[in-house]
Amino acid sequence: MLKIGILGGGQLGKMLLQAAANYPVETFVMENDDDCPAAHLCHHFTKGDIKNFDDVYRFGKGLDALTIEIESVNEDALEKLETEGVKIYPKPSALRIIKNKILQKQFYKKGDIPTAEFVVTKDLEDVKRNESFIPAVNKIGMGGYDGRGVQIIKTKADLEKGFDAPGILEKLVTIQKEIAQIVAINEKGETALFPPVEMVFDPVLNLLDYQISPANLPEKTLWKVEAIALKIARDLKSPGIFAVELFIDRQNDVFANETAPRVHNSGHHTIEANYCSQFDMLWRIMLGYPLGNPKHIIPAAIVNLIGADGYDGPAYYEGLNEVLQMDNVFVHIYGKQKTRGGRKMGHATILSTDKSDLTHKANKIKHTLKVISQ
Ligand code: ADP
């Protein structure tokens, strides 16, 4: 049996392991918390720091392949492991491009992939010098995540809020829709496109609020979305799963925003709603099996279950009973011991052929199920 490791033991690692249970594979997980969601589902758990060279190298040595659940892993160790024959999904060369938003934007530009116009900025002074770019968005080059490395700059006064670190300043797109398109690509270069999903954001938390699959797009816009996502996946020259986030503006122009080289929050519904889930698909790629069918069986919505503000401590799921009474709703509790305001604690998938039923239930779940501590 192939030995495959996952760097990171959070919810994505956990869902990967749930899918792995159907395949002949020996699983390994490394995370610095031995009570993390994935710790008890793998065959072998190692406590370690995914950002530390020695920890990652020691963990990966002797494995057949490695994958990641988050980009903030030590890519130097992955590169060394790759030269020693360990297969890495995604390849460290692709990860390096994606980890740094400056390199990522330059990669889009080089490949003629439509993306918001941008300049590279060295520090805050540099941001301020590019006043002509306003309204704009300043994004930190390294380490931004879940909206923390993004600052919207609408006025001259907002320039002060820019990052005093290398990053990019890009033109603000008048967003009509935010879309995520997941692409699978195997060693042979064969691809599978999941139906794109439409993302609806919470303006306060900046975390995904709920999403609808498949996105309602005119055919020509759908083609553009698919073509951009396919080009990105091919140009990265790495097998794996890639989640491409895109903006559609008022003129139906499509812009690549950013790519995650891994299974993604925007694909959670594929567990129940699609013939082959994103997690299944990644195992098929890593184990060398044929790609699965990414098409949806039924439309779906995902609601994130986020730790309520003001609660910090052992998690309690208020309203879970009521939500479990709702028809065609599937609740995934990640099993994180402690909640805190804004933490991703689980998600619920809703299945329905009726779009208004999806949004109605999504809102009902958001108001019924609260993650608090007692
Ligand atoms: P993160 O990696 O932290 O999620 P993103 O680059 O996805 O950062 O940006 C977070 C959010 O900020 C996006 O989902 C979008 O709503 C908004 N945003 C980012 N870039 C732009 C842009 N150029 N124009 C308009 N809104 C943007």
Side-chain angles (χ1 to χ4, degrees), residues 231-242:
K231 171 105 171 97
I232 291 173
R234 290 196 174 115
D235 284 5
L236 283 169
K237 298 191 169 55
S238 163
I241 294 278
F242 296 92

Side-chain angles (χ1 to χ4, degrees), residues 11 36 43 45 58 67 81 92 118 214 219 250 264 278 314 319:
Q11 64 268 20
C36 64
H43 296 109
F45 179 78
R58 262 197 298 268
T67 191
L81 287 164
F118 70 101
E219 197 172 43
R250 299 254 170 86
H264 194 247
Q278 61 166 345

Side-chain angles (χ1 to χ4, degrees), residues 172-226:
L172 190 78
V173 176
T174 319
I175 297 174
Q176 183 206 137
K177 272 183 185 169
E178 292 201 36
I179 300 293
Q181 167 70 68
I182 299 181
V183 190
I185 180 161
N186 67 11
E187 307 276 354
K188 293 187 218 157
E190 293 163 341
T191 55
L193 286 159
F194 285 86
V197 302
E198 200 169 318
M199 303 155 92
V200 186
F201 283 91
D202 183 321
V204 181
L205 274 178
N206 228 350
L207 278 174
L208 181 65
D209 212 16
Y210 67 88
Q211 64 186 39
I212 303 275
S213 159
N216 181 17
L217 297 175
E219 197 172 43
K220 280 189 183 147
T221 311
L222 174 66
W223 292 343
K224 285 188 205 164
V225 167
E226 291 182 343

Side-chain angles (χ1 to χ4, degrees), residues 86-102:
V86 181
K87 292 224 167 120
I88 318 284
Y89 302 87
K91 278 177 175 290
S93 52
L95 184 62
R96 267 191 205 285
I97 295 170
I98 283 171
K99 258 183 108 162
N100 184 328
K101 283 208 172 167
I102 303 173

Side-chain angles (χ1 to χ4, degrees), residues 28 33 40 127 162 172 183 189 205 228 234 267 274 294 301-302 335:
F28 297 71
D33 172 7
H40 312 292
V127 174
L172 190 78
V183 190
L205 274 178
I228 289 172
R234 290 196 174 115
N274 296 52
I302 297 177

Side-chain angles (χ1 to χ4, degrees), residues 101 116 137 139 144-150 152 170-173 175 178 201 206 245 247 257-258:
K101 283 208 172 167
V137 185
K139 297 184 180 177
Y145 188 62
D146 277 348
R148 282 191 290 269
V150 174
I152 309 255
E170 71 176 27
K171 287 254 166 83
L172 190 78
V173 176
I175 297 174
E178 292 201 36
F201 283 91
N206 228 350
E245 292 179 24
F247 300 138
N257 176 33
E258 59 170 4

